[in-house]
Amino acid sequence: QASKPKLQTVTGFCAARAAAECSDAVIAACGFPGKSDCESTHAKWCMGATPQGTTYQPSKAPACLAVVTKAFATTEITATDLASLDPACTSEVFAGPGAARAQCMTDYDCNSAKGLHCVMSNPPSGSNMGQCFVPQIITPGGDCSGQGTVCGTGTYCDPMGITCITDNQINSACSLPDYPCAAGLQCNGAGPFATCAAGIADGSACNSSTECNSGLCDKATDQAGGTCASVITLSSLDSMCKSPP
């Protein structure tokens, strides 16, 4: 109970998040001299990463801290752990200014405190702009033409039939953003010759996490490229020691 007032400010939230990230295992693996050094580094990163133009939501902080504590409990951090941080520690904690129907490009543009998210039009308009709505999740085969409609995980809104259908599988034709590939696949090629292909396997070189089967590109500090991995084992060279996701 005593710690709750500290979460009423962004500074307090960042201090609490840094403390959650700086477990004894992380401190040792990353080579920090002590807990205060780790927490100072992580709190500074958190403050710098606070999205401009948003409003901090203290009531959402505990949920974020819970997933952070779990993710950083050991020196091994999984892709699943990192995926759990979004949106728990992103647009849920920092609500955007956009009211219902306001134009948006990301969830940070919408007021998540009112349940609003940035929903792209169906079919895609080509402008990369959406509108702030409370999402209506549509099941496979359902009509996705309505405002605020979002197809469930593993499906997308077919631009032709305007119904939710299964994401394109390996070797199927694709075109982003209209005809996406299933999770773990990439849309390779251009125009009518683009097809869904397997993502990069663990242990292979990568430049971004979207290229990897695992959804995670492990990079050393200040390096543009890295290695695809399902699990990151922290060391003093790892970028997550100083700039968590």
Side-chain angles (χ1 to χ4, degrees):
Q1 296 293 324
S3 63
K4 286 187 176 181
K6 297 179 181 179
L7 297 179
Q8 296 305 306
T9 66
V10 174
T11 300
F13 165 71
C14 283
R17 176 168 179 169
E21 290 168 347
C22 292
S23 64
D24 291 342
V26 169
I27 292 169
C30 291
F32 285 108
K35 189 171 182 65
S36 62
D37 298 277
C38 179
E39 291 185 2
S40 175
T41 298
H42 282 230
K44 182 178 179 180
W45 169 86
C46 176
M47 291 295 293
T50 299
Q52 294 185 5
T54 60
T55 301
Y56 170 58
Q57 305 296 310
S59 64
K60 301 293 185 179
C64 167
L65 296 177
V67 295
V68 168
T69 299
K70 180 179 181 297
F72 288 84
T74 70
T75 58
E76 292 190 341
I77 300 176
T78 68
T80 302
D81 288 335
L82 296 182
S84 69
L85 300 180
D86 185 12
C89 295
T90 54
S91 58
E92 289 295 312
V93 176
F94 297 99
R101 301 182 181 276
Q103 285 196 318
C104 58
M105 294 186 70
T106 73
D107 280 346
Y108 284 127
D109 295 325
C110 302
N111 189 348
S112 62
K114 296 185 180 297
L116 300 173
H117 293 265
C118 190
V119 179
M120 298 299 165
S121 62
N122 293 321
S125 64
S127 68
N128 294 323
M129 296 294 291
Q131 286 182 282
C132 297
F133 288 111
V134 175
Q136 301 178 49
I137 307 302
I138 306 300
T139 57
D143 181 351
C144 49
S145 62
Q147 292 185 329
T149 55
V150 177
C151 294
T153 302
T155 64
Y156 70 99
C157 189
D158 177 21
M160 298 299 291
I162 315 297
T163 57
C164 293
I165 62 175
T166 303
D167 289 343
N168 292 297
Q169 304 301 305
I170 195 163
N171 296 327
S172 297
C174 57
S175 176
L176 300 177
D178 295 15
Y179 300 94
C181 298
L185 302 180
Q186 298 183 75
C187 187
N188 289 344
F193 303 103
T195 57
C196 295
I200 300 173
D202 285 2
S204 299
C206 55
N207 291 309
S208 69
S209 292
T210 56
E211 299 174 340
C212 303
N213 270 330
S214 64
L216 181 58
C217 184
D218 183 19
K219 299 180 181 181
T221 302
D222 298 326
Q223 296 299 305
T227 303
C228 290
S230 295
V231 178
I232 292 176
T233 301
L234 290 177
S235 73
S236 59
L237 298 177
D238 201 286
S239 62
M240 280 203 290
C241 283
K242 293 185 178 179
S243 54

